[in-house]
């Protein structure tokens, strides 16, 4: 029974004896494992730093570019606001000017119409007066011609004038003026119009027939003079009206042209204002989008920077922990103790000293202390890498062999 148990023990110890025969101890295995892990951690730390540095440069460039975009857009927004405000102000001012011109044009057109109506009345009055004077002049000329052709006495002359007053246009007025002259009156001819179908009585006036022609000729000169005055006044009035009408017409035309130009300019400024306001809305949206994107980039960068710095600290602590573990396993005391108690010679499994195995297990205890140290560090740092490393160390096949050997030794003791 003891021989069979020795065979089983030898089979279990075969892997450990093989490692020992090659001069590779469990501590050295762990040191090798830790060294590989340390190298991997250093490389990962550097790679993570390169990746973050690249991202940091990108985030910085994006943030700066967006800041410039926001600055330029802000300046553009201020320009558009100023432009739209000025355009609105110009449009309003032009609107006021257009309203003023409309009122001025209405006023001038009213003045022009009133002047035209007044001038029409004046001209109609002139035509009447001119006709009166013209008819009177013709009547005087005819009377003078008749009286000059024959030697009329006073009664004949009086009869002839009264007869002409009934048939010759303007003769009643001449006769009325003639009577006023004989009376020494000073009233004007136009204020003493006689009825067309009758003549004032002159039979009561005593005058010499020789003086009749002189009186009629004097009246003819007077009527001609007054007719000339009336014609001159009409010409002056017509000229003044023509000049006033021309001035009003030119002013109205100029106001209308100015009105049309201002209307076109006002429409243009209103369109420019609307376009500027449209661009302003787009610029504000662009600025808001850039500000939001910049805020997101900056916030994301801050979060990633914090995570990166924390990861770098954890990795540094992990590497420090691994280095400390390597230092413990590589210490002179551990190596000397293992050489003294674990160095196995190749021999038949049945001849192995159980004391050596127990001492070997104590050397494995050193590895357990390293595992415990790394486990505490993994928990403190919340490091998945160290936790995996602890798992790898604790599942080392050599340690399992030692545990199995101890179990067999206990059973051998019981059978003995």
């Amino acid at each position: 029974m003891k021989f069979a148990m020795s065979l089983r023990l030898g089979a279990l110890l075969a892997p450990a004896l093989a490692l020992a025969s090659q001069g590779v101890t469990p501590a050295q295995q762990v040191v090798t494992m830790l060294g590989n892990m340390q190298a991997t951690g250093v490389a990962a730390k550097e790679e993570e730093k390169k990746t973050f540095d690249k991202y940091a440069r990108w985030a910085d460039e994006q943030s700066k570019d967006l800041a410039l975009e926001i600055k330029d857009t802000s300046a553009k927004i201020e320009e558009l606001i100023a432009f739209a405000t000025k355009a609105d102000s110009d449009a309003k001012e032009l609107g006021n000017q257009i309203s003023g011109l409309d009122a001025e044009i209405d006023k001038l057109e009213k003045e022009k119409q009133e002047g035209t109506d007044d001038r029409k009345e004046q001209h109609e009055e002139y035509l009447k007066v001119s006709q009166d004077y013209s008819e009177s002049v013709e009547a005087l000329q005819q009377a003078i011609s008749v009286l000059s052709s024959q030697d009329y006495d006073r009664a004949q002359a009086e009869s002839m004038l009264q007869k002409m007053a009934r048939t010759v246009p303007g003769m009643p007025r001449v006769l009325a003026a003639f009577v006023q002259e004989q009376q020494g009156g000073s009233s004007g001819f136009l204020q003493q119009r006689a009825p067309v179908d009758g003549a004032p009585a002159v039979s009561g006036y005593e005058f010499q027939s020789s003086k009749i022609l002189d009186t009629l000729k004097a009246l003819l000169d007077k009527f001609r003079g007054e007719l000339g005055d009336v014609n001159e006044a009409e010409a002056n009035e017509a000229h003044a009206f023509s000049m006033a009408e021309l001035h009003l017409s030119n002013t109205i035309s100029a106001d209308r042209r100015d009105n049309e130009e201002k209307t076109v300019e006002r429409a243009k400024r209103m369109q420019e204002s609307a376009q500027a306001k449209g661009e302003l809305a787009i610029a504000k949206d662009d600025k808001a989008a850039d500000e939001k994107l910049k805020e997101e980039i900056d916030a994301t960068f801050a979060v990633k920077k914090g995570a990166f710095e924390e990861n770098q600290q954890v990795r540094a602590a992990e590497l420090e922990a691994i280095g400390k573990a390597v230092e413990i396993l590589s210490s002179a005391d551990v190596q000397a103790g293992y050489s003294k108690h674990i160095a196995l010679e190749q021999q038949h499994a049945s001849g192995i000293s159980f004391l050596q195995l127990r001492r070997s297990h104590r050397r494995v205890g050193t590895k357990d202390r390293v595992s415990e140290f790394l486990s505490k560090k993994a928990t403190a740092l919340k490091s998945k890498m160290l936790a995996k490393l602890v798992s790898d160390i604790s599942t080392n096949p050599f340690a399992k062999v030692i545990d199995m050997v101890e179990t067999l030794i206990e059973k051998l003791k019981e059978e003995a």
Side-chain angles (χ1 to χ4, degrees):
M1 179 65 69
K2 291 184 178 180
F3 178 74
M5 184 66 71
S6 298
L7 291 176
R8 289 169 58 191
L9 182 59
L12 291 172
L13 292 177
L17 293 175
L19 290 173
S21 65
Q22 297 173 6
V24 179
T25 67
Q28 289 173 336
Q29 278 188 296
V30 174
V31 168
T32 300
M33 183 186 300
L34 292 175
N36 293 336
M37 186 66 73
Q38 189 175 33
T40 302
V42 171
K45 185 172 180 291
E46 290 298 322
E47 183 62 26
E48 186 179 65
K49 186 176 184 305
K50 289 180 181 179
T51 301
F52 179 79
D53 289 343
K54 182 178 179 181
Y55 165 73
R57 286 192 298 270
W58 175 85
D60 183 63
E61 291 175 358
Q62 289 294 311
S63 182
K64 288 180 179 179
D65 290 343
L66 287 171
L68 290 175
E69 286 289 338
I70 293 170
K71 181 179 179 181
D72 293 341
T73 305
S74 297
K76 183 179 180 181
I77 288 174
E78 292 179 0
E79 292 176 358
L80 288 171
I81 291 175
F83 182 86
T85 301
K86 182 64 168 59
D88 288 341
S89 177
D90 291 345
K92 182 179 180 180
E93 177 61 25
L94 287 168
N96 293 335
Q97 294 177 8
I98 291 170
S99 297
L101 286 171
D102 288 338
E104 181 68 15
I105 291 172
D106 290 341
K107 176 184 175 183
L108 293 176
E109 286 183 337
K110 183 177 180 181
E111 289 181 2
K112 181 181 177 182
Q113 186 60 46
E114 290 176 350
T116 300
D117 294 340
D118 291 343
R119 180 67 193 118
K120 182 179 179 180
E121 292 178 1
Q122 291 174 357
H123 183 66
E124 290 175 352
E125 181 64 22
Y126 158 75
L127 291 176
K128 293 178 181 179
V129 173
S130 176
Q131 183 178 359
D132 287 344
Y133 274 115
S134 296
E135 290 175 351
S136 298
V137 169
E138 290 178 359
L140 282 169
Q141 289 175 340
Q142 185 176 355
I144 292 171
S145 176
V146 172
L147 291 176
S148 298
S149 62
Q150 298 181 19
D151 186 14
Y152 289 98
D153 58 18
R154 184 188 67 183
Q156 292 174 333
E158 178 182 339
S159 176
M160 184 201 68
L161 291 174
Q162 289 182 351
K163 185 179 180 179
M164 291 179 66
R166 294 186 184 95
T167 58
V168 178
M171 196 62 199
R173 301 175 187 84
V174 172
L175 189 57
F178 178 80
V179 171
Q180 288 181 353
E181 287 293 329
Q182 292 300 313
Q183 290 178 340
S186 59
S187 299
F189 171 72
L190 294 179
Q191 283 75 29
Q192 299 294 330
R193 295 179 181 175
V196 175
D197 58 349
V202 295
S203 58
Y205 300 108
E206 297 293 334
F207 58 91
Q208 298 295 325
S209 62
S210 61
K211 294 181 180 180
I212 294 176
L213 289 176
D214 294 337
T215 301
L216 294 177
K217 289 178 180 179
L219 287 175
L220 178 61
D221 292 338
K222 178 182 178 182
F223 286 170
R224 281 176 174 172
E226 290 180 356
L227 177 60
D229 292 341
V230 169
N231 289 335
E232 183 179 359
E234 169 63 14
N236 290 336
E237 289 291 338
H239 178 71
F241 170 75
S242 178
M243 296 300 295
E245 183 184 38
L246 179 62
H247 174 71
L248 287 172
S249 297
N250 290 339
T251 303
I252 290 172
S253 297
D255 286 348
R256 282 177 175 167
R257 287 193 301 271
D258 194 17
N259 195 324
E260 291 174 358
E261 292 175 358
K262 291 183 184 300
T263 299
V264 172
E265 180 64 19
R266 180 172 178 268
K268 178 183 177 182
R269 294 299 284 163
M270 291 177 66
Q271 181 180 3
E272 291 173 344
S273 174
Q275 182 177 353
K277 289 176 181 178
E279 294 178 2
L280 177 62
I282 294 174
K284 287 182 176 180
D285 290 342
D286 291 343
K287 180 184 177 184
D290 288 342
E291 288 176 339
K292 182 179 179 181
L293 180 58
K294 183 178 183 300
E295 182 179 353
E296 291 176 353
I297 290 176
D298 292 344
T300 302
F301 174 75
V303 172
K304 288 189 175 183
K305 182 182 178 182
F308 165 75
E309 292 175 348
E310 183 178 354
N311 289 341
Q312 287 286 293
Q313 291 176 357
V314 170
R315 288 192 179 278
E318 288 174 346
L319 294 174
E320 182 182 356
I322 292 173
K324 185 66 175 178
V326 171
E327 181 181 349
I328 293 172
L329 292 173
S330 301
S331 65
D333 292 340
V334 173
Q335 293 298 329
Y338 187 82
S339 298
K340 179 178 179 181
H341 302 291
I342 302 301
L344 301 175
E345 297 178 357
Q346 291 183 349
Q347 53 184 325
H348 193 275
S350 61
I352 294 177
S353 170
F354 291 112
L355 179 60
Q356 287 177 321
L357 291 175
R358 286 194 294 272
R359 290 174 178 174
S360 295
H361 188 60
R362 286 197 296 272
R363 301 289 73 80
V364 174
T366 302
K367 185 179 67 174
D368 291 338
R369 290 197 302 275
V370 171
S371 297
E372 183 180 359
F373 169 76
L374 293 176
S375 179
K376 290 181 180 179
K377 285 291 184 179
T379 301
L381 298 174
K382 297 180 181 180
S383 173
K384 294 181 179 180
M385 186 189 78
L386 289 180
K388 184 177 184 303
L389 179 59
V390 171
S391 176
D392 292 342
I393 292 174
S394 56
T395 57
N396 186 278
F398 190 83
K400 291 182 179 180
V401 171
I402 298 301
D403 291 336
M404 295 176 68
V405 168
E406 286 188 341
T407 302
L408 289 174
I409 290 174
E410 292 297 329
K411 288 185 177 182
L412 290 173
K413 286 181 177 180
E414 292 174 1
E415 293 178 359

